[in-house]
């Protein structure tokens, strides 16, 4: 990928660029908890984005996306918002840095990536993080701290891409470390690295290749449900800043005041916040059976209470259970994308073969299978 990017950069701009990279992510557990002030437990992966970048002495950004074979130019004023969707991730990062008092001037860039798009592996966060990291290095002497860079990516999604996401994806993509998952408290920003080398197990992702077109608006609606539930609980318990601060019994107190739908969404979130902690405890005992069981519980919650699963994901989850896979669940925002599976090494091949065969038989197209390695996040190469 490196060579291809530099060759294209030379062809377009007549010199070499400076190389930066960042990563997509997985999340072992802790889904839809980030914007509720709860815990998440992600790690960066060996699929990412790489970019060659160089300041060009003008006020214009010149950007080429290898995967799309498309070239775009934009200026750095707010009015110059690009029409297409993909350059907005870069434009947004530039604008968010400028809004915070940082510096961004014109630059040339060529980028490429291998994070599957729409699979729930955060290809967009990988793109934002690559550019946030690079522009901090090139124009700001690395004065912006990494957590702020993650927020710059998150604000890009909010203000330029229409997704009111939490901080997990950008955080994982920036803070990722080879061989470690990171437990992040999304309310306080405290985080802890957990070495993750499950002896005798593998992590495998199975991608349904389904992407629902209304996923972004449905995601934002989930967030609104949670905020309404938290507001109702707060009336009785003013200490509840986020839904993750609420006890299950406090939710029961407001059952009649909120809609059934909001109640179910909140019920899922409160359970999920606890599951992250339980999984961390289990990992410290090398108790993968408990980790796996929690993953199945998360899937149940995401499917029945939070309602962000779909037929294809539920099918894969059920099949995993039937084949004695240790843990399995939908990963990421949902509405399509992947299941993440914790599977014993000796079962791995049979599980993957059977899942591909049965899925194809049922849905008429093959799922994709990704073997992920927990890797480093954003960096200069
Ligand atoms: C998407 C969002 C994240 C998070 C997950 C669900 O990936 O970008 O902030 O909310 O969904 O856990």
């Amino acid at each position: 990928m490196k060579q291809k990017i530099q060759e294209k950069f030379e062809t377009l701009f007549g010199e070499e660029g400076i190389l930066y990279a960042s990563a997509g992510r997985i999340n072992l557990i802790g889904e839809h908890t980030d914007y509720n002030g709860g815990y998440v437990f992600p790690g960066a992966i060996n699929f990412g984005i790489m970019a060659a970048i160089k300041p060009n002495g003008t006020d214009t950004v010149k950007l080429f996306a290898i995967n799309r074979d498309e070239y775009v130019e934009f200026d750095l004023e707010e009015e110059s918002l690009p029409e297409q969707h993909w350059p907005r991730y870069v434009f947004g990062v530039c604008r968010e840095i400028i809004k915070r008092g940082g510096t961004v001037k014109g630059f040339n860039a060529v980028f490429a990536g291998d994070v599957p798009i729409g699979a729930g592996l955060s290809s967009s966060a990988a793109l934002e993080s690559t550019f946030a990291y690079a522009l901090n290095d090139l124009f700001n002497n690395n004065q912006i701290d990494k957590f702020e860079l993650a927020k710059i990516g998150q604000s890009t999604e909010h203000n330029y891409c229409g997704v009111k996401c939490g901080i997990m994806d950008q955080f994982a993509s920036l803070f990722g470390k080879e061989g470690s998952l990171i437990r992040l408290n999304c309310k306080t920003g405290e985080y802890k690295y957990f070495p993750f080398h499950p002896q005798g197990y593998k992590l495998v992702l199975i991608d349904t290749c389904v992407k629902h077109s209304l996923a972004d608006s449905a995601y934002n609606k989930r967030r609104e449900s949670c905020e309404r539930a938290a507001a109702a609980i707060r009336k009785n318990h003013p200490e509840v800043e986020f839904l993750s601060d609420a006890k299950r019994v406090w939710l029961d107190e407001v059952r009649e005041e909120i809609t059934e739908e909001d109640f179910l969404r909140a019920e899922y979130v409160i359970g999920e916040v606890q599951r992250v902690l339980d999984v961390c405890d289990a990992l410290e005992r090398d108790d993968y059976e408990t980790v796996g069981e929690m993953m199945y519980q998360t899937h149940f919650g995401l499917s029945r209470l939070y309602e962000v699963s779909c037929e294809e994901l539920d099918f894969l989850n059920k099949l995993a259970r039937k084949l004695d896979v240790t843990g399995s669940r939908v990963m990421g925002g949902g509405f399509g994308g992947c299941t993440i599976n914790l599977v014993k090494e000796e079962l791995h091949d049979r599980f993957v073969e059977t899942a591909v065969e049965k899925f194809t038989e049922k849905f008429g197209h093959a799922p994709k299978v990704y073997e992920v390695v927990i890797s480093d996040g954003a960096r200069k190469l």
Side-chain angles (χ1 to χ4, degrees), residues 149-165:
L149 293 180
K151 288 188 184 159
I152 284 167
Q154 183 191 21
S155 304
T156 296
E157 299 274 352
H158 287 206
N159 300 330
Y160 300 95
C161 308
V163 184
K164 300 285 180 201
C165 65

Side-chain angles (χ1 to χ4, degrees), residues 31-33 36 226 229-230 233 240 242-252 254 262-277 305-306:
E31 221 64 90
H32 290 275
T33 45
N36 285 304
C226 295
I233 299 170
V240 172
F242 292 98
L243 188 51
S244 66
D245 299 322
K247 294 188 177 134
R248 178 51 216 268
V249 285
W250 298 354
L251 175 62
D252 291 332
V254 298
D262 289 356
F263 180 85
L264 294 176
R265 307 296 189 243
E267 186 185 5
Y268 160 76
V269 170
I270 293 172
E272 181 72 353
V273 170
Q274 183 58 43
R275 278 191 290 274
V276 184
L277 297 175
L305 307 175
Y306 219 65

Side-chain angles (χ1 to χ4, degrees), residues 74-232:
F74 54 79
D75 291 346
L76 292 160
E77 280 89 46
E78 192 68 18
E79 308 75 65
S80 307
L81 179 75
E83 259 173 41
Q84 294 114 295
H85 195 70
W86 70 264
R88 292 185 176 196
Y89 294 107
V90 179
F91 176 79
V93 167
C94 298
R95 289 298 311 160
E96 291 297 333
I97 293 177
I98 293 168
K99 283 187 208 166
R100 284 165 172 78
T103 305
V104 180
K105 297 258 192 293
F107 59 87
N108 301 332
V110 172
F111 72 92
D114 60 2
V115 192
I117 291 173
L121 298 176
S122 300
S123 54
S124 60
L127 182 56
E128 290 148 8
S129 304
T130 304
F131 278 86
Y133 190 93
L135 300 178
N136 189 28
D137 185 44
L138 291 168
F139 295 110
N140 296 280
N141 279 323
N142 288 305
Q143 289 299 301
I144 310 172
D145 79 66
K146 267 214 279 186
F147 211 91
E148 198 57 35
L149 293 180
K151 288 188 184 159
I152 284 167
Q154 183 191 21
S155 304
T156 296
E157 299 274 352
H158 287 206
N159 300 330
Y160 300 95
C161 308
V163 184
K164 300 285 180 201
C165 65
I167 193 76
M168 168 169 74
D169 304 348
Q170 293 77 13
F171 172 84
S173 174
L174 280 152
F175 284 78
K177 189 162 101 182
E178 194 184 332
S180 286
L181 298 178
I182 325 165
R183 186 183 69 196
L184 170 69
N185 179 329
C186 298
K187 184 174 166 177
T188 63
E190 280 167 88
Y191 59 90
K192 183 179 169 195
Y193 288 95
F194 283 70
F196 185 70
H197 302 286
Q199 286 294 319
Y201 293 84
K202 280 187 167 184
L203 275 184
V204 55
L205 304 183
I206 307 203
D207 184 359
T208 59
C209 303
V210 173
K211 167 96 182 130
H212 292 280
S213 59
L214 292 176
D216 289 352
S217 58
Y219 179 95
N220 294 344
K221 275 193 178 160
R222 296 303 181 282
R223 185 173 183 151
E224 287 161 18
S225 278
C226 295
E227 282 165 3
R228 280 193 297 267

Side-chain angles (χ1 to χ4, degrees), residues 281-293:
D281 286 348
L283 277 181
E284 274 172 339
R285 303 188 304 267
D286 285 332
D287 174 3
Y288 295 104
E289 291 304 316
T290 300
V291 174
E293 199 43 51

